Amino acid sequence: MATAFSSLRGRLFALLFLALLLLAFPLALLSAKEAERAATEDLRRALFTRLFLLKEEGPKGEAALLAELFRLGQVYGGGVGFVVGEEVRSTELAPLALPPALLSALAEGRTYQGVWRGVLYVALPWEGGGFGLAVPLEGVAGLGRRLLLLYATWGGGVLLLVYALAALGFSWALRPLRDLARALKDRSPEDLSPLPRPPVAELMPVVEAMNGLLARVRALLEELSEKEALARRFARHASHELRNPLAALKGYLEVLARKGEPRALEGALREAGRLEALLSGLLRLSQVEATPLRLRPLSLAAFLRERGVEVAGDAEVLADPELLALAVENVLENARRHGKPPVRGEILKEGQGVWLWLVDGGPGFPESLLPRVLEPFVHGGRGTGLGLALVAAVARAHGGKAVAANRDGAAVGLFLPLASLKVPPAAGFGEGG
């Protein structure tokens, strides 16, 4: 039973059967009761009419009246006729008990019609008393029982037929749900394409929710694939960048092992310094991506002027001072190495954040490197290629982004959240803020 009710189909069929029972059972009882009431009412009217006609015909004497009442009683299912005078006389030998209300009505000259102790009494006043018929209602009650039996047999068959037809209708109505389940079961794990539009409107919310879930999974997998590709490219560049100074250092050391050559010693120290700078940059990059932020409101103009950068405009941002200082110092160092100081700042509010632009006075980024200048190990032949990658990592850690451009010099822009918005670091920003 638990297994049957664990499915939507089983529950619908059970509800259908219960609904049919709740409809049929009260209907059968009401029909039987109504049939009994209608039969009793018809019998009462018939008795009243025959007795009224008998009174109008004016039978001669009490004996003749009792004989006529006996005949009517046989017509109406073995009823008992009675005459009320100084005493009650009936068409039976046994004494007949009459309802007190009947005797009172006849004493007042009124007709009486009513059921007492399962017997229908109809009486009319006559010559200081009255006369009437008492007809048992067993036949009328039997009509109700016969109707209930008819409902239980033929009605039960009709009920089962209706249930079977309705079950077929439910099965047809549930077919789109089964088709959807089959389509999902047969779909390969790699297939994240949207589900087709269902044929019934009631399934649209389910399909739309599943399509939304598939879209999010697809986007997540694409993001993971992109991150995996970036990680592979990072590892390839890192191994390449580390291999060069290590190979050069090894060569210089081999020369030093054979003869004390001062230039070889200088080259070994230079490559060792380059290797140290690479490792230091990689360590900083990993620390930026792993260290929790310590956010607090900062005035960008004051922050930059403390580091010797003239700035136009101002805004209060929510940032980690140490990480933001690391980003600014790396831009300044990049300007000293590859561009031309001084570096000027521009602060522009946009949407939910603010752009901080740092622009040097040099010729700008080489056009061939501009699309990739914020990636790790991308450089113009000098340095480690990790400085601007650290700037981009700092922007991402704040939930923002970094871009590079040529604006009368090499320009690096960081998009940071405004302090008044209190945006959490993981919120992220869309394109253009």
Side-chain angles (χ1 to χ4, degrees):
M1 184 65 68
T3 304
F5 287 111
S6 62
S7 67
L8 179 61
R9 179 189 179 95
R11 292 183 180 187
L12 287 175
F13 286 175
L15 288 175
L16 170 64
F17 188 71
L18 180 61
L20 290 176
L21 282 181
L22 291 177
L23 176 64
F25 186 69
L27 183 61
L29 289 179
L30 290 175
S31 299
K33 291 293 183 181
E34 181 62 21
E36 290 181 2
R37 189 197 65 78
T40 302
E41 183 66 17
D42 290 343
L43 179 60
R44 181 194 64 79
R45 290 178 180 177
L47 288 177
F48 182 82
T49 301
R50 296 301 298 270
L51 291 176
F52 182 79
L53 292 175
L54 180 61
K55 181 180 178 181
E56 291 296 318
E57 291 172 357
K60 305 298 184 182
E62 184 176 307
L65 180 58
L66 284 173
E68 191 66 27
L69 290 175
F70 179 79
R71 186 181 63 80
L72 287 177
Q74 298 306 308
V75 172
Y76 290 101
V80 178
F82 59 87
V83 176
V84 178
E86 295 179 357
E87 61 181 13
V88 177
R89 300 185 62 187
S90 69
T91 57
E92 289 186 345
L93 297 178
L96 178 65
L98 296 177
L102 182 148
L103 296 175
S104 300
L106 293 180
E108 296 173 1
R110 295 183 290 106
T111 61
Y112 177 83
Q113 303 174 53
V115 178
W116 187 61
R117 295 179 181 178
V119 178
L120 174 63
Y121 291 88
V122 179
L124 276 69
W126 179 70
E127 294 184 358
F131 66 95
L133 280 174
V135 178
L137 295 177
E138 286 89 350
V140 174
L143 175 62
R145 288 192 295 271
R146 288 194 300 274
L147 282 176
L148 288 177
L149 180 61
L150 184 64
Y151 269 110
T153 54
W154 287 97
V158 173
L159 179 68
L160 291 177
L161 178 61
V162 171
Y163 176 77
L165 293 176
L168 289 176
F170 273 142
S171 298
W172 173 80
L174 291 173
R175 182 181 300 172
L177 194 58
R178 295 196 302 271
D179 293 342
L180 177 61
R182 189 181 302 111
L184 290 174
K185 183 178 179 181
D186 296 340
R187 176 176 285 219
S188 65
E190 295 80 13
D191 186 4
L192 297 177
S193 60
L195 295 171
R197 183 182 181 88
V200 291
E202 286 75 11
L203 282 181
M204 275 302 298
V206 177
V207 173
E208 288 176 353
M210 295 188 70
N211 284 339
L213 177 61
L214 290 174
R216 291 193 295 273
V217 172
R218 187 165 58 249
L220 179 60
L221 290 178
E222 290 174 356
E223 182 180 353
L224 291 175
S225 300
E226 182 179 352
K227 289 184 177 180
E228 184 180 357
L230 288 174
R232 286 198 300 268
R233 187 166 59 187
F234 179 85
R236 184 171 64 253
H237 287 317
S239 62
H240 175 74
E241 293 294 331
L242 291 174
R243 188 184 301 114
N244 288 341
L246 284 174
L249 180 60
K250 180 180 179 182
Y252 288 131
L253 291 175
E254 288 175 352
V255 172
L256 285 175
R258 291 195 300 269
K259 54 182 179 179
E261 176 62 46
R263 287 180 298 179
L265 180 59
E266 292 176 2
L269 291 174
R270 184 175 64 252
E271 296 302 326
R274 183 184 174 193
L275 183 60
E276 182 182 12
L278 276 171
L279 292 176
S280 177
L282 289 173
L283 180 61
R284 280 191 176 185
L285 191 59
S286 64
Q287 287 174 343
V288 168
E289 295 176 346
T291 304
L293 295 180
R294 298 177 181 177
L295 299 174
R296 66 182 182 88
L298 290 176
S299 169
L300 279 181
F303 183 82
L304 293 174
R305 290 191 182 103
E306 289 175 0
R307 285 153 182 80
V309 178
E310 290 300 322
V311 59
D314 192 14
E316 191 175 64
V317 297
L318 199 65
D320 185 318
E322 293 184 5
L323 288 185
L324 188 57
L326 176 63
V328 173
E329 289 169 3
N330 274 274
V331 174
L332 296 177
E333 179 64 24
N334 189 76
R336 285 192 293 268
R337 287 192 176 188
H338 306 287
K340 182 180 179 181
V343 174
R344 65 185 187 276
E346 298 178 11
I347 299 173
L348 303 172
K349 292 183 180 180
E350 182 178 318
Q352 297 178 340
V354 59
W355 280 102
L356 166 59
W357 285 98
L358 298 172
V359 186
D360 67 16
F365 295 110
E367 292 297 331
S368 59
L369 297 181
L370 187 57
R372 301 184 297 112
V373 74
L374 297 177
E375 298 179 8
F377 309 116
V378 176
H379 53 76
R382 292 180 297 167
T384 61
L386 293 175
L388 296 185
L390 278 168
V391 175
V394 169
R396 288 195 301 271
H398 285 80
K401 59 184 177 180
V403 295
N406 287 325
R407 297 173 52 179
D408 296 329
V412 178
L414 287 82
F415 189 73
L416 301 172
L418 286 168
S420 59
L421 294 175
K422 300 182 180 179
V423 179
F429 293 86
E431 291 299 323

